[in-house]
Amino acid sequence: MQSTSTPTHCPYCALQCGMNLTPAQQGGVEVRDRTDFPVNRGALCGKGRTAPQVLSSRVRLTSPLVRAGDGTLAPATWDEALDRITGELTRIRAEHGADALGVFGGGGLTNEKAYALGKFARVVLGTSQIDYNGRFCMSSAAAAGIKAFGLDRGLPFPLEDIPRTGCVILVGSNPAETMPPALRYFTELRANGGTLIVVDPRRTRTAEQADLHLAPRPGTDLALALGLLHLVVAEGRTDEEYIQRRTSGWEEARAAAMAHWPEYVERITGVPVPQLREAVRLFCEPEHAMVLTARGPEQQSKGTDTVGAWINLCLATGRAGRPLSGYGCLTGQGNGQGGREHGQKADQLPGYRKLDDPAARAHVAGVWGVDPDSLPGPGRSAYELLDALGGDIRSLLLMGSNPVVSAPRAAHVEERLRSLEFLAVCDVVLSETAALADVVLPVTQWAEETGTTTNLEGRVLLRRRALTPPDGVRSDLEVMHGIAARLGVEKGFPTDPEEVFEELRRASAGGPADYSGITYRRLAEENGVFWPCPGGAEPGEGGALDAPGAGREEGGSPDAGAGLGEDASLDAPGADDPARDGDGGAGAHPHPGTPRLFLDGFATPDGRARFVPVTHRAAAEEPDDEYPVLLTTGRVVAQYQSGAQTRRVDELNAAAPSAFVELHPRLAVRLGTAEGDPVAVVSRRGRAVAPARITPHIRPDTVFMPFHWPGAGRANTLTNPALDPTSRMPEFKVCAVRLERA
Ligand code: SF4
């Protein structure tokens, strides 16, 4: 263990709060405030404060487990476990082809692991069948951002800009529960005279702090945004000069919005017209304003269009690509941003390149030392991949995910996992998914290994190793190295994270998410570096001139990279230094990174943001006589995602021990149920039972369940896997259910 304090970051959500880890008297490490990190300035939620408890949990895995002939999981040596994996993968590939081998990653994996996993799937296994649980997180916002701006970075500006804008509309986000230290940005906004509008069907702890709370019926955020845009036009609040100069496609988007007149929108959403008018007034009167979305509007079968409608509102009012104004997505998972950039997505190569782009394939294949034609094409999205298990996908290697709890239609996904010929899982504890595996590999955790993550602002951060891992565990990088070597790939899968990052820099050079100017040394010296941060592209390997935004008509030099802002361009000193010089252009004149995107132009071919004409449509499943109530799902402050880690912390379990069904008093009376009574929630996919929690802070037509728990109270037993046609996001946020007394 290090004898002194180690500055690092929390293992959980996308805020990636800074913390110091110091040796604890009783052994292990304890968390101390780290006030120099600007995002959280020392503040942490309970999850971050208690994170070290998972390191020494009594249920921590410290030996590989292999399923024996009697069906039980028994301890085994690493050689036995890795031999079993490679034997099964070799057999299945020989019998059914490489695409019979599935790989499933996670939005919590470091950039190095996500990068290595995508390369491992395509180079070692030769399979196209890889995706990850981040698909369930922010993929709709990513798709909408790329459509409108040509580039997806969750927040195109730092969080520190929020208190200085005039108004924020927070759509389907509850930071008071999901990332409490972020709440101060909104508190400071209001203290500075700005206003906060929260859109949520529940009066959450975040909504309680808002100047205006709009509570639409779940699944109607798209209509709500269109209704606001209609009023913006009707009241003459559009910014015509901005629309003409910086956007395209306005007439079609305007026509679509004008079909959503206020009374019609009130009927769809349940939000009264005066509240719509007040929201427009609050949003349009200040000079600057922002819209921030999270899972509420995004986790819908029309999530991409819904986010597109909110972006249209920003564009029509001139609130994008300008200082202190813009659209952003509050990403959820710890490395939800970096995890979607470097190749574990079904359609993607590192640097946010597209797998079906010949130039991208050639560039990355050059870095990997393989023939571009040997790289498989795009595969299936996360739910489609899980749904195909036991069909043409015969085996699965899973890292950093627990789909038995977190996937939609979870009982079906569990049944698909059980039907596999072979399942291998890497985890720190025996999660509900690991318990189904044929081989379980115990791996290191955040404080036991070094690696980078990219937080919700696009700020690349260095997590440092603070203590020695227990005997018997290995890192995910060591796992990939060991399997690759056994499958005859001796080189290209180093176990040193910095070595992996050096290769990632070269692979990302010239791509939309360009990390080539970032080094571990810089990350250790600076409080993170925002991408794109070019260090110079290698000639003939898809350099910066191929990047989106190159050759745009306005806003700076045609040499500029992807939507660079005022404080970053390829003209910056050091931009010509090749990434492979070991310093990434980070020597005498490093590229400063790009905290603010799009100020000079958007990352589209013509530099203009694109309006996308969208219209309201119903949820995939609307209430009917049999299933008359809407279910929406979400999180509570004391648990994180599937709870695989946080359910192992006594203090967090005491605060949030199990699932519940939140319902309005009128609904409770109709059902004849009292506080704490068990309630059965039944959808077309299954039945979940949990105690009633009765509150007036939810719409009477809606019930809410948090999704962190397995078993009888598993909310995802109920959720609908109807997919967004663009992002392939399942509709976690709305489905039809009926309630029964249990
Ligand atoms: Fe910060 Fe999120 Fe960790 Fe809480 S869970 S300490 S908000 S990074």
Side-chain angles (χ1 to χ4, degrees):
M1 188 195 304
Q2 321 276 339
S3 58
T4 54
S5 181
T6 305
T8 189
H9 297 272
C10 175
Y12 297 122
C13 84
L15 206 55
Q16 286 295 283
C17 291
M19 58 171 61
N20 283 315
L21 293 179
T22 60
Q25 274 189 341
Q26 67 277 19
V29 289
E30 59 190 14
V31 171
R32 293 280 167 82
D33 292 351
R34 181 182 164 194
T35 52
D36 69 314
F37 186 62
V39 171
N40 61 310
R41 293 187 212 150
L44 295 167
C45 76
K47 298 185 287 284
R49 288 215 176 276
T50 58
Q53 291 184 35
V54 187
L55 297 165
S56 56
S57 166
R58 58 190 178 279
V59 294
R60 179 84 191 268
L61 295 174
T62 54
S63 165
L65 302 172
V66 174
R67 198 163 293 281
D70 65 359
T72 59
L73 280 171
T77 67
W78 272 93
D79 279 342
E80 289 167 344
L82 293 176
D83 286 348
R84 174 82 177 270
I85 291 173
T86 49
E88 289 291 332
L89 297 183
T90 302
R91 177 187 66 76
I92 291 169
R93 185 165 60 179
E95 291 176 5
H96 304 287
D99 274 356
L101 310 179
V103 177
F104 202 81
L109 298 179
T110 60
N111 291 321
E112 291 80 357
K113 294 178 186 180
Y115 170 82
L117 191 63
K119 180 181 177 184
F120 176 87
R122 291 164 181 124
V123 172
V124 178
L125 302 183
T127 182
S128 66
Q129 299 301 305
I130 175 171
D131 209 54
Y132 80 126
N133 66 14
R135 178 79 64 175
F136 301 155
C137 181
M138 51 353 90
S139 55
S140 295
I146 290 169
K147 274 188 183 185
F149 307 129
L151 184 72
D152 156 44
R153 195 182 86 185
L155 291 180
F157 42 75
L159 286 164
E160 69 188 41
D161 285 1
I162 290 174
R164 298 188 292 142
T165 192
C167 175
V168 173
I169 306 181
L170 198 52
V171 191
S173 174
N174 183 12
E177 300 267 350
T178 57
M179 45 180 69
L183 209 57
R184 74 169 167 87
Y185 292 102
F186 303 102
T187 310
E188 290 171 12
L189 163 75
R190 297 189 67 226
N192 291 343
T195 53
L196 176 64
I197 301 172
V198 169
V199 179
D200 199 307
R202 304 164 63 219
R203 188 164 179 81
T204 62
R205 283 166 48 202
T206 307
E208 279 172 1
Q209 302 190 27
D211 298 279
L212 178 64
H213 172 209
L214 309 180
R217 190 169 170 273
T220 64
D221 310 81
L222 173 52
L224 181 67
L226 286 162
L228 297 182
L229 182 52
H230 178 111
L231 284 170
V232 164
V233 175
E235 295 177 8
R237 295 183 185 269
T238 53
D239 185 336
E240 295 297 328
E241 190 273 336
Y242 173 93
I243 291 171
Q244 291 304 318
R245 191 169 57 83
R246 299 210 47 191
T247 71
S248 61
W250 169 230
E251 283 310 316
E252 294 84 353
R254 179 183 181 281
M258 295 319 284
H260 297 74
W261 61 96
E263 291 74 16
Y264 173 52
V265 168
E266 178 179 321
R267 280 205 302 280
I268 297 170
T269 63
V271 177
V273 172
Q275 286 190 5
L276 298 175
R277 292 191 188 283
E278 178 65 358
V280 166
R281 187 185 69 79
L282 292 175
F283 185 69
C284 292
E285 282 190 351
E287 185 180 356
H288 310 295
M290 297 174 177
V291 173
L292 303 177
T293 67
R295 304 302 81 75
E298 299 166 14
Q299 289 180 325
Q300 298 184 25
S301 62
K302 54 180 180 293
T304 305
D305 281 359
T306 301
V307 174
W310 287 103
I311 292 175
N312 286 351
L313 181 68
C314 290
L315 295 178
T317 51
R319 282 121 192 308
R322 280 177 163 169
L324 306 180
S325 287
Y327 162 78
C329 153
L330 295 171
T331 300
Q333 289 180 286
N335 195 27
Q337 182 66 54
R340 71 193 197 236
E341 298 165 358
H342 297 299
Q344 63 177 329
K345 273 179 78 179
D347 58 350
Q348 189 194 68
L349 288 169
Y352 228 135
R353 288 184 161 93
K354 296 290 285 181
L355 194 49
D356 57 6
D357 173 1
R361 292 170 70 89
H363 170 80
V364 175
V367 175
W368 289 352
V370 301
D371 180 348
D373 292 338
S374 71
L375 297 176
R380 294 180 174 93
S381 74
Y383 179 76
E384 292 165 296
L385 190 156
L386 295 171
D387 189 39
L389 301 181
D392 57 302
I393 300 179
R394 308 287 178 126
S395 74
L396 188 70
L397 173 64
L398 187 142
M399 267 180 198
S401 187
N402 187 15
V404 167
V405 179
S406 61
R409 197 188 174 194
H412 172 72
V413 168
E414 182 175 341
E415 183 259 317
R416 292 290 84 213
L417 286 159
R418 289 181 190 278
S419 73
L420 283 165
E421 288 182 31
F422 182 71
L423 173 62
V425 173
C426 301
D427 213 327
V428 298
V429 295
L430 196 66
S431 70
E432 289 71 21
T433 306
L436 305 179
D438 299 289
V439 176
V440 182
L441 300 176
V443 289
T444 48
Q445 295 188 56
W446 106 109
E448 299 162 350
E449 57 188 15
T450 294
T452 62
T453 60
T454 306
N455 84 344
L456 76 177
E457 306 168 286
R459 188 193 303 249
V460 185
L461 304 164
L462 184 64
R463 280 194 198 154
R464 298 169 175 87
R465 174 169 156 147
L467 79 171
T468 307
D471 289 342
V473 308
R474 295 184 184 177
S475 73
D476 293 302
L477 294 178
E478 289 175 306
V479 168
M480 286 183 263
H481 174 88
I483 298 173
R486 279 170 168 75
L487 289 172
V489 181
E490 300 284 347
K491 290 187 177 167
F493 291 90
T495 58
D496 173 15
E498 187 168 6
E499 207 177 319
V500 178
F501 189 79
E502 287 299 306
E503 187 181 300
L504 181 159
R505 291 175 54 211
R506 293 197 299 278
S508 74
D514 189 334
Y515 282 38
S516 61
I518 304 173
T519 63
Y520 270 31
R521 197 180 76 193
R522 280 191 71 180
L523 294 177
E525 290 170 354
E526 303 172 31
N527 262 330
V529 178
F530 291 82
W531 71 257
C533 182
E538 297 179 47
E541 291 190 350
L545 287 177
D546 296 333
R552 60 178 177 245
E553 291 170 0
E554 61 177 313
S557 133
D559 291 331
L564 298 178
E566 61 182 358
D567 40 10
S569 85
L570 288 185
D571 297 332
D576 290 330
D577 295 346
R580 61 180 168 225
D581 69 3
D583 200 23
H589 302 291
H591 188 286
T594 316
R596 295 172 183 85
L597 292 166
F598 312 138
L599 296 181
D600 297 334
F602 296 95
T604 53
D606 63 2
R608 291 167 176 266
R610 296 177 285 227
F611 280 98
V612 180
V614 292
T615 54
H616 167 71
R617 59 183 186 274
E621 198 174 71
E622 289 286 339
D624 56 19
D625 290 346
E626 200 177 351
Y627 299 97
V629 176
L630 291 166
L631 168 72
T632 192
T633 61
R635 293 179 270 175
V636 297
V637 67
Q639 299 288 354
Y640 178 70
Q641 305 292 51
S642 81
Q645 295 140 293
T646 50
R647 283 187 277 115
R648 269 78 187 179
V649 177
D650 293 342
E651 187 179 325
L652 299 178
N653 270 339
S658 57
F660 56 87
V661 181
E662 187 177 288
L663 72 165
H664 192 274
R666 293 216 294 272
L667 197 50
V669 167
R670 280 218 309 272
L671 187 64
T673 196
E675 178 78 13
D677 284 354
V679 173
V681 184
V682 184
S683 79
R684 289 179 174 86
R685 289 150 297 280
R687 171 188 173 96
V689 179
R693 191 174 286 186
I694 301 171
T695 170
H697 296 324
I698 187 168
R699 292 173 55 96
D701 56 5
T702 301
V703 295
F704 166 83
M705 288 186 74
F707 66 84
H708 309 289
W709 293 274
R714 180 173 62 184
N716 276 319
T717 299
L718 308 165
T719 47
N720 188 355
L723 299 180
D724 179 283
T726 306
S727 66
R728 318 306 287 166
M729 167 72 86
E731 190 147 77
F732 288 99
K733 284 298 178 191
V734 55
C735 71
V737 297
R738 69 169 179 267
L739 305 183
E740 298 171 354
R741 291 171 63 185

